Amino acid sequence: MSESTPATTYFLAVDSHVHLYNWVDLVPMLDTALASFTDAVHKHKGKVPFYGMLVLTEPRGRDTFPKLRTQLQSAQPCWLSSEWMLEPTDETLSLTAVHTDGTRIFLISGQQVVTREALEVLAIASEQTVPDRQSLQDTLKAIRQRDGYPVLPWAVGKWLMGRGKIVSQAIAENDGKPLGIGDNGGRPAFWTRVEQFKQARLFDLPILRGSDPLPVKSSRNAGSYGTLMSIPFDAAKPAKSLLDALCDKSCERIDFGVLEAPLSFLRDQITLRLS
């Protein structure tokens, strides 16, 4: 295990909504995330040291993070490629991918849950133990009971009409409990009006960006849409550091990445519905 170190303020590039559909895409995912994170940090903060973070919000049944943890336990040192090595942390809910240039990207366990209302909820820093098809309120409660952090992510058409009212009600009635709102790199550039984002700002809830890669070839890459955070950070306990920062409304947050081009959005949606 790595030695625990005192938390010092550090820049963190976070993609809070990541999926890995094929195991062979892990190393390319790390490569593209590193490039995107580096560009974002250099653009907004200059050439300063930083850590990257990918939250693996996988549905139940796609056990990406447990497989990574098992792979690490069976082989140490655990080389993923000639440039990436996997290392443990002092937590069960995080791992470290270390590039040969010294840059670290932390992989955080999470889950994507589908509620009874067919809404999505992300559980950050959580094992994949939250049942699907519960009500939204019961899902939020279940995530908090597991010491995870719930995020309501935007998705195409799911925040409109009746379901949109349910999301708005959850924001209005949250009453100070841990809750984040998720923006999505797949949101098309023409979809500028999202009432729940305005409402989240009114109720002082954090809006976290995530790439939400789709299982189509033209989809955006992990790390391309996220949030830069300046937070007290312990590299031995990255998941705890992230959870503490999400509950601290005073920490600096800077959005990075661009929304989906309209033609790419339409192409991806047609491909998904035909597949």
Side-chain angles (χ1 to χ4, degrees), residues 107-240:
L107 304 174
I108 307 298
S109 176
Q111 183 183 350
Q112 179 175 281
V113 188
V114 179
T115 73
R116 182 188 305 158
E117 302 90 348
L119 291 165
E120 292 180 3
V121 185
L122 307 180
I124 292 181
S126 171
E127 295 183 346
Q128 293 169 296
T129 60
V130 180
D132 289 316
R133 304 303 173 187
Q134 296 186 107
S135 69
L136 176 58
Q137 288 300 331
D138 285 345
T139 300
L140 297 176
K141 181 179 178 181
I143 293 171
R144 294 178 184 126
Q145 287 175 337
R146 290 160 171 79
D147 296 323
Y149 188 93
V151 174
L152 298 174
W154 181 92
V156 180
K158 292 187 178 181
W159 283 13
L160 301 175
M161 302 181 71
R163 287 186 292 180
K165 292 180 180 179
I166 293 172
V167 173
S168 294
Q169 184 177 5
I171 294 172
E173 297 178 355
N174 187 58
D175 194 26
K177 294 184 287 292
L179 179 66
I181 305 302
D183 195 4
N184 186 326
R187 180 164 61 93
F190 61 77
W191 203 318
T192 57
R193 184 181 178 87
V194 180
E195 289 298 328
Q196 289 84 355
F197 291 164
K198 296 180 182 178
Q199 187 183 9
R201 295 185 182 97
L202 178 65
F203 284 90
D204 201 20
L205 297 180
I207 299 177
L208 304 175
R209 286 189 169 193
S211 58
D212 189 19
L214 298 174
V216 295
K217 291 183 178 179
S218 61
S219 179
R220 62 212 153 271
N221 296 315
S224 61
Y225 199 73
T227 306
L228 298 180
M229 305 174 70
S230 178
I231 67 172
F233 191 78
D234 183 353
K237 299 179 180 179
K240 181 181 184 304

Side-chain angles (χ1 to χ4, degrees), residues 39 47 72 171 197:
D39 287 346
K47 294 187 177 182
L72 177 60
I171 294 172
F197 291 164

Side-chain angles (χ1 to χ4, degrees), residues 12 100 133:
L12 194 66
T100 50
R133 304 303 173 187

